[in-house]
Amino acid sequence: MENKEISGIREDYTKGSLLESEVSASPFTQFDHWFGQALKEEVMEPNAMVLSTVSEAGSPSSRIVLLKGFDDAGFVFFTNYQSRKGQELSLQSNGALLFFWPELQRQVRIEGNLHKIAPEQSEAYFQSRPRGSQLGAWASPQSEIVPDREFLEQKLEEVNQLYEGEELIPKPPHWGGFVLDPIRIEFWQGRGSRMHDRIVYILDPKNRSWGIHRLAP
């Protein structure tokens, strides 16, 4: 049965435009520009992004992760390598990221290949995390079925006691960073009458140059 309240929800997109003459030749520079605007406008968690991976059977799965760095080499996030996403990426390196900044009526879609970053980079970031987050990385068997919340609290207390008085908590061997090396990056700006602006950068693998194209909304 149709839910009339849901079907009637509409948003008019009037906050910006995106023309070919306005974008940078580099998608990374363009992303940096848009990310800076998201920070300036105090978008709620501007570094939150949907990560989509593919299982061995070909089934897609998505979840929110946090961007922790980006440059011309790609987009970095951290996770438990034994989690569902970590296991899926060990079998199928293709993946996608999606940023949605509703306050700016913008999306950024990124597709490419993912691989682990250098262990020393993961170690450096782990040591910059709050102590509670470090302990949690040891305590949580991420994505595994557990009996109840008490089980997790007990695991956390055990780890807390193990490292009590220790100034330095070592990085778990099963925890670290991934980087997505993009081959396609699309910038979407909402426009009126659903005639949205879509500018996509597509990587030419032969010379590692980016082509810039407009897509129909």
Side-chain angles (χ1 to χ4, degrees):
M1 181 179 295
E2 181 183 8
N3 188 314
K4 294 183 178 179
E5 292 185 2
I6 294 177
S7 64
I9 296 174
R10 289 181 176 83
E11 178 72 24
D12 192 18
Y13 298 98
T14 61
K15 293 188 177 181
S17 63
L18 186 64
L19 304 177
E20 290 88 334
S21 60
E22 299 172 342
V23 299
S24 170
S26 164
F28 301 104
T29 303
Q30 183 63 34
F31 182 86
D32 185 56
H33 175 60
W34 268 25
F35 192 79
Q37 289 183 328
L39 290 173
K40 182 179 179 180
E41 295 298 321
E42 298 183 344
V43 168
M44 183 177 180
E45 292 205 271
N47 62 328
M49 57 188 184
V50 178
L51 166 67
S52 297
T53 54
V54 182
S55 72
E56 186 176 14
S59 301
S61 64
S62 300
R63 75 289 286 162
I64 300 290
V65 297
L66 297 178
L67 177 71
K68 289 300 179 180
F70 66 92
D71 55 25
D72 289 359
F75 299 81
V76 176
F77 65 93
F78 294 85
T79 189
N80 185 318
Y81 291 142
Q82 297 174 353
S83 66
R84 178 177 175 179
K85 56 184 172 295
Q87 292 183 42
E88 288 175 345
L89 288 172
S90 70
L91 298 171
Q92 170 57 268
S93 63
N94 292 332
L97 303 174
L98 169 64
F99 293 86
F100 178 46
W101 299 319
E103 295 90 339
L104 298 173
Q105 297 176 340
R106 288 175 174 173
Q107 298 182 63
V108 182
R109 300 171 60 194
I110 307 171
E111 301 170 22
N113 296 298
L114 292 110
H115 58 85
K116 293 178 181 179
I117 65 174
E120 56 269 21
Q121 291 178 281
S122 293
E123 180 68 39
Y125 176 72
F126 184 82
Q127 295 306 328
S128 74
R129 304 180 86 204
R131 186 178 181 87
S133 298
Q134 293 177 335
L135 294 172
W138 278 104
S140 174
Q142 193 174 115
S143 300
E144 293 184 15
I145 295 175
V146 296
D148 48 35
R149 177 73 191 190
E150 184 178 354
F151 173 87
L152 294 174
E153 298 289 354
Q154 182 178 345
K155 287 291 184 182
L156 182 60
E157 180 57 29
E158 290 173 0
V159 174
N160 192 34
Q161 292 180 10
L162 178 65
Y163 291 108
E164 186 176 5
E166 297 288 338
E167 183 176 349
L168 183 69
I169 299 176
K171 181 188 74 65
H174 57 262
W175 188 97
F178 280 102
V179 58
L180 184 144
D181 181 13
I183 58 174
R184 182 184 178 104
I185 303 180
E186 179 188 329
F187 295 85
W188 181 99
Q189 175 68 62
R191 296 292 298 274
S193 302
R194 297 298 188 265
M195 294 295 286
H196 310 305
D197 285 328
R198 298 174 63 189
I199 301 295
V200 63
Y201 294 74
I202 300 176
L203 182 66
D204 183 339
K206 294 181 180 179
N207 56 23
R208 298 294 294 180
S209 64
W210 292 94
I212 303 176
H213 312 274
R214 173 171 289 271
L215 301 178

